[in-house]
Amino acid sequence: MADDIRILTRKLHSITKSDSDDIRALLPRGFEVIGALIVGTASSSVERTAKDAIDASSRLRKALSQSENQSLVGAVVDPSSGGLSFFVSNSVIELVTTVVYEEQPDKYVWERGCILYCELPIKLPVIYSVKELKGAEDMLARAIEAVIAKFRDTKTTYVLETLDGSITEAPHAVVIRNRDLDLSTESNASSLLCSHFCFEDNNHKSHSAENADKILVSFLLSTSGASLKPVAPVAEYIPGEAKLLVVDYKLKVICYATKDLRLTDAVSKLIIPGLVDSYIL
């Protein structure tokens, strides 16, 4: 086990940007590395093993570009008894004498959070030369970049409403405009929390993703009104035989948000990045 720890440490020391990207893809957005658990050996000291666990998790946080200014947890399993010992890194590594376990972890998660759901169908028309496919790739890339830019366009509006159709007295939908996302909490839409759409339903027999409060986020783009500057139609001539390719995307973004998160932050920090990352991937 000691040899395994040293191998892991060497790997974390030599981790590349590509490795970091691969690890980051496996870690759901919003989750952080807070520590590590190692099975100890009869010959190793518990404190030393806990330090190795904390060092490994610290290097992993650094590789994932997460803040290094955080207390980390090092957990050690006794191989003979199966008992767990927990240590926390502050200025020094300290033994934790009291640990509170949640007997129903699902209840802990879903009592404090909800699900954001956004579905966005997109059609990207691309005209390309049959003899030159590179032009089609360039046009598709430009079309995708234009769609990504629309997510933060000042004319873009997001409508949030409850996804539970069985509730008769559901709150009214909340409209959030992109130009309002960076405002303070003075306006009503900016000050509302995700809990605005959450309900205390005693009929739920269990706390699970299926029974969780769900918020539907719709994406609207208003293009009416006077143009800010004169525009003219633009045409591109492609010599030779050409074809029309319509790329049909149907993006679905599902996020977990705590109920005390502002609705504007839910859109700007969860929904918008999840649509953009879908294109980048």
Side-chain angles (χ1 to χ4, degrees), residues 203-222:
N203 294 326
H204 286 172
K205 297 181 179 179
S206 63
H207 294 272
S208 63
E210 291 77 13
N211 295 328
D213 294 296
K214 299 178 180 65
I215 302 175
L216 175 65
V217 182
S218 302
F219 175 92
L220 303 177
L221 181 62
S222 173

Side-chain angles (χ1 to χ4, degrees), residues 81-175:
S81 65
L84 271 173
S85 299
F86 291 90
F87 293 80
V88 176
S89 64
N90 294 311
S91 56
V92 294
I93 297 179
E94 300 175 333
L95 175 67
V96 177
T97 57
T98 303
V99 178
V100 178
Y101 291 91
E102 176 57 57
E103 295 181 355
Q104 295 179 305
D106 289 352
K107 179 180 179 181
Y108 179 86
V109 171
W110 297 115
E111 274 189 344
R112 291 162 175 78
C114 58
I115 290 178
L116 301 173
Y117 178 84
C118 181
E119 182 175 314
L120 182 63
I122 298 176
K123 293 183 181 293
L124 299 177
V126 178
I127 301 176
Y128 66 97
S129 171
V130 175
K131 297 182 179 179
E132 183 58 57
L133 295 180
K134 183 179 180 181
E137 296 175 0
D138 294 340
M139 291 183 67
L140 181 58
R142 292 197 298 269
I144 290 176
E145 290 173 357
V147 171
I148 292 176
K150 291 295 184 182
F151 294 144
R152 295 193 180 277
D153 192 295
T154 55
K155 297 179 181 179
T156 301
T157 299
Y158 295 88
V159 179
L160 291 83
E161 54 192 328
T162 180
L163 194 58
D164 192 343
S166 64
I167 299 175
T168 56
E169 298 182 359
H172 294 296
V174 174
V175 177

Side-chain angles (χ1 to χ4, degrees), residues 61-72:
R61 284 183 62 88
K62 185 176 181 180
L64 295 173
S65 300
Q66 296 179 353
S67 173
E68 299 181 49
N69 298 324
Q70 175 170 326
S71 297
L72 298 176

Side-chain angles (χ1 to χ4, degrees), residues 190-261:
S190 297
S191 61
L192 290 176
L193 307 178
C194 289
S195 58
H196 175 72
F197 292 106
C198 298
F199 304 90
E200 294 295 334
D201 190 350
N202 295 326
N203 294 326
H204 286 172
K205 297 181 179 179
S206 63
H207 294 272
S208 63
E210 291 77 13
N211 295 328
D213 294 296
K214 299 178 180 65
I215 302 175
L216 175 65
V217 182
S218 302
F219 175 92
L220 303 177
L221 181 62
S222 173
T223 56
S224 61
S227 176
L228 298 179
K229 59 181 179 180
V231 293
V234 178
E236 182 178 353
Y237 172 68
I238 302 178
E241 185 179 355
K243 286 188 176 182
L244 171 64
L245 172 66
V246 179
V247 181
D248 195 353
Y249 283 109
K250 192 171 184 180
L251 298 179
K252 291 184 178 180
V253 178
I254 301 176
C255 307
Y256 172 86
T258 58
K259 293 182 180 181
D260 58 356
L261 181 69

